Amino acid sequence: MISPYLFNIIADMSMREVPEDFNGGFRIGGRKVNNLRYADDIVLIATTPTELQELLNRVAHSGGKIWWLVINEGKTKVMIIRKVIT
């Protein structure tokens, strides 16, 4: 089957357009990380709600303008992780 390969190629091309001038995310080992991808799942990583919204808008715009990809709101989840200071 070729369709999973095509989807992954298109999703990768779409995600490569997003971070060109996006400064959000966090650093791991000196490298900026703002998304993780596995198969057809994409995890967007941000340090503030505003940053996350900007990243989400960029992903939606990039995926939709050329590749006709849409974000399935029913499958979309948000997880907030806060550092606990003791």
Side-chain angles (χ1 to χ4, degrees):
M1 294 189 151
I2 195 166
S3 62
Y5 296 110
L6 289 176
F7 175 82
N8 285 331
I9 290 168
I10 290 171
D12 185 60
M13 292 171 71
S14 178
M15 287 301 296
R16 286 176 190 251
E17 290 182 20
V18 172
E20 288 177 354
D21 61 345
F22 182 73
N23 294 319
F26 62 93
R27 295 202 175 273
I28 297 178
R31 185 170 186 196
K32 184 172 51 170
V33 176
N34 58 28
N35 72 81
L36 302 171
R37 291 173 275 164
Y38 180 77
D40 63 346
D41 292 322
I42 299 173
V43 177
L44 302 178
I45 302 168
T47 56
T48 67
T50 303
E51 193 178 278
L52 180 59
Q53 186 63 57
E54 180 183 349
L55 185 56
L56 183 59
N57 291 344
R58 288 172 179 244
V59 169
H61 178 74
S62 174
K65 74 174 182 180
I66 299 172
W67 313 109
W68 300 285
L69 297 176
V70 293
I71 296 172
N72 184 333
E73 292 179 27
K75 292 184 177 181
T76 301
K77 307 281 188 277
V78 175
M79 181 180 357
I80 299 172
I81 301 173
R82 296 182 190 262
K83 182 177 179 180
V84 177
I85 300 173
T86 57

